[in-house]
Amino acid sequence: MKHIQIKERVYYIGANDRKKSLFENNWPLPNGVAYNSYLIKDQKNVLIDTLEFGAKDDYIENIKAILEGEQLDYLVVNHMEPDHSSMVGFIIKEFPNIKVVANSKAFKMLEAYFGLDNSQIHEVKDGDVLEIGYHKLNFVLTPWVHWPETMMTYDSTDKILFSCDAFGSFGTLDGGIFDDEINFQFYEDEMRRYYSNIVGKYSNMVQKAFAKLEGVDISVICPSHGPVWRTNPSLPISLYDKWSKHESEEGVVIAFASMYGNTEKMADYLARLIAERGVKNIRIFDVSKTHVSFIINEIWKYKGVILGSSAYNAGMHPMMQHLCHELEGLNPKNKNYALFGSYSWSGGGVKSLISFADKMTWNKVAEPFEIMGVPDSSKMGGLSEIADNIL
Ligand code: FEO
């Protein structure tokens, strides 16, 4: 493969993973994922983050080809999650004199995973600068974006921000590496799904990271997943700003769990009522069919959330329980919500949905509505109040 240059001395050496089914063995990857690694060739040669083990069998050869016989002097470890760090041991074995650049929070993990001792580590603190010749690398500690030890590296010479997980996306890089080489429509949904499910829980820390980066002149963003932003770096910044402030768009997500179709009929009836009131963005999901990550993505996007469940063992349906568990953990905010459901014996589905919603900081727009038996139109009156008020 030809070398991919970001700037004269800065190279992209990432890899696509089309084999893995589940990111973190949890999140579906229908479009795969890219792990991005970068190499700066200067008086001191620097590798910025590695790859997930096995993603690229010629990774070391690629590095050597760019180095043309020179040594690798530093490996910057911005983040210890193994999708970026599981090649650290191989790099050290190949380049035994290398120094690993990391902050103190990563030290214990570097020792525990790779047996590194202090003599192999170059510690950096927030605001430290490492001069490697033409380039000056500035380190910005950004804890919890996405784990406690995470930091970003800013090259103040070429004005490149190596942002790690921030501004990343699911989806492989299919030929196009840079934002001006891709159709972003393909990536926007996957970028938000990545944000909402992986980073969104720590939205307040994203805002703190933004505060630290205030006034920094950024011409290129090199994240650890997804496209490299060399033409319009302000776009991912504005999207992350919006998502981390929990700003949403006009629209409604109806997620239902239905054992034999009655609660689904209520969802369809309700969606029709909402459409008649002029709402164009309405998305209905069967939680038993669609993985929660896709539903959470849409919930993060839209203002209205309506959850419906049949009763199941005197509680909500187990698949709805899964969605509620994830929502409680990820904690999307600024939502209007309503609840509905159906039952045959003593109920309990809506009651347990109420217990979930009480734990959220969402705005209730209508009383929960539950029916027994067949949901014919004569019983659906309570859904009108939800349709009237959801937005
Ligand atoms: Fe892409 Fe938090 O690892």
Side-chain angles (χ1 to χ4, degrees):
M1 291 288 281
K2 285 182 357 187
H3 298 326
I4 299 165
Q5 281 180 278
I6 296 165
K7 294 281 181 180
E8 191 185 344
R9 299 173 173 89
V10 183
Y11 297 83
Y12 173 91
I13 48 167
N16 288 312
D17 188 343
R18 299 186 178 92
K19 290 194 178 77
K20 187 189 281 286
S21 302
L22 298 171
F23 186 75
E24 297 177 339
N25 231 357
N26 194 32
W27 313 104
L29 291 172
N31 303 304
V33 66
Y35 313 116
N36 300 343
S37 173
Y38 303 94
L39 182 59
I40 304 175
K41 205 174 169 192
D42 206 325
Q43 289 174 20
K44 299 287 184 187
N45 297 315
V46 180
L47 183 65
I48 298 187
D49 291 317
T50 68
L51 307 177
E52 174 147 337
F53 174 73
K56 193 175 176 68
D57 59 7
D58 56 357
Y59 179 56
I60 303 281
E61 284 70 25
N62 279 9
I63 292 170
K64 286 183 173 175
I66 294 169
L67 290 176
E68 296 175 303
E70 294 181 17
Q71 276 304 304
L72 197 52
D73 300 287
Y74 292 106
L75 164 59
V76 174
V77 174
N78 282 321
H79 182 23
M80 278 298 294
E81 187 159 8
D83 53 334
H84 311 295
S85 71
S86 56
M87 291 293 285
V88 167
F90 291 87
I91 294 292
I92 293 167
K93 197 171 171 193
E94 202 64 46
F95 303 99
N97 297 321
I98 198 168
K99 288 272 187 190
V100 176
V101 180
N103 65 73
S104 60
K105 285 187 188 152
F107 285 6
K108 267 191 183 172
M109 297 177 79
L110 285 163
E111 184 190 2
Y113 281 88
F114 305 108
L116 263 68
D117 59 49
N118 282 351
S119 68
Q120 295 169 286
I121 295 172
H122 177 91
E123 180 185 354
V124 289
K125 297 188 172 68
D126 195 31
D128 278 359
V129 180
L130 179 64
E131 300 205 15
I132 58 170
Y134 176 69
H135 295 89
K136 292 182 182 60
L137 303 182
N138 303 253
F139 301 97
V140 185
L141 269 57
T142 52
W144 292 107
V145 188
H146 135 251
W147 278 356
E149 83 297 348
T150 313
M151 65 181 190
M152 298 185 190
T153 301
Y154 175 66
D155 167 21
S156 53
T157 305
D158 281 338
K159 305 190 188 322
I160 303 173
L161 181 67
F162 298 94
S163 62
C164 200
D165 279 341
F167 313 119
S169 170
F170 290 135
T172 51
L173 297 172
D174 298 340
I177 304 288
F178 300 97
D179 56 331
D180 48 89
E181 298 177 329
I182 59 164
N183 184 342
F184 181 59
Q185 276 185 323
F186 170 78
Y187 288 97
E188 184 168 0
D189 259 357
E190 283 292 71
M191 193 170 172
R192 196 189 323 93
R193 190 167 69 92
Y194 177 85
Y195 181 81
S196 54
N197 289 278
I198 307 294
V199 184
K201 178 180 174 71
Y202 311 109
S203 288
N204 62 327
M205 301 309 285
V206 173
Q207 282 297 316
K208 285 185 179 172
F210 274 135
K212 279 191 173 182
L213 293 169
E214 180 95 45
V216 175
D217 186 5
I218 298 169
S219 69
V220 184
I221 293 178
C222 292
S224 294
H225 304 284
V228 172
W229 298 85
R230 68 179 175 189
T231 299
N232 190 9
S234 60
L235 178 59
I237 290 173
S238 66
L239 288 173
Y240 260 58
D241 192 38
K242 176 174 131 180
W243 297 334
S244 59
K245 285 177 177 164
H246 299 272
E247 292 173 0
S248 51
E249 299 175 22
E250 287 285 295
V252 177
V253 176
I254 302 173
F256 71 85
S258 185
M259 292 166 67
Y260 293 103
N262 290 317
T263 307
E264 181 174 13
K265 280 183 185 147
M266 295 179 75
D268 276 321
Y269 191 96
L270 176 56
R272 183 68 200 139
L273 292 180
I274 296 169
E276 285 172 350
R277 284 152 178 78
V279 178
K280 291 195 167 61
N281 295 313
I282 305 168
R283 306 282 290 123
I284 300 181
F285 293 100
D286 181 341
V287 293
S288 300
K289 180 178 177 198
T290 304
H291 188 271
V292 289
S293 67
F294 297 94
I295 305 173
I296 288 163
N297 180 24
E298 298 293 320
I299 287 176
W300 213 281
K301 180 177 184 181
Y302 290 121
K303 180 74 179 172
V305 183
I306 304 175
L307 304 178
S309 181
S310 59
Y312 191 97
N313 289 339
M316 70 174 85
H317 189 279
M319 301 301 278
M320 180 57 75
Q321 187 79 59
H322 183 202
L323 174 63
C324 290
H325 173 78
E326 291 297 334
L327 286 171
E328 197 181 331
L330 297 169
N331 199 17
K333 293 177 179 158
N334 296 332
K335 302 296 172 192
N336 289 347
Y337 83 93
L339 309 170
F340 68 95
S342 67
Y343 65 98
S344 305
W345 288 275
S346 54
V350 168
K351 191 176 167 193
S352 58
L353 280 174
I354 292 169
S355 299
F356 154 73
D358 284 346
K359 290 181 263 185
M360 307 300 283
T361 54
W362 296 353
N363 173 41
K364 185 169 85 172
V365 300
E367 287 307 310
F369 180 65
E370 190 169 31
I371 64 171
M372 181 188 176
V374 175
D376 61 46
S377 55
S378 67
K379 296 181 187 170
M380 299 285 213
L383 294 180
S384 295
E385 189 195 351
I386 296 176
D388 285 342
N389 297 299
I390 192 63
L391 291 182

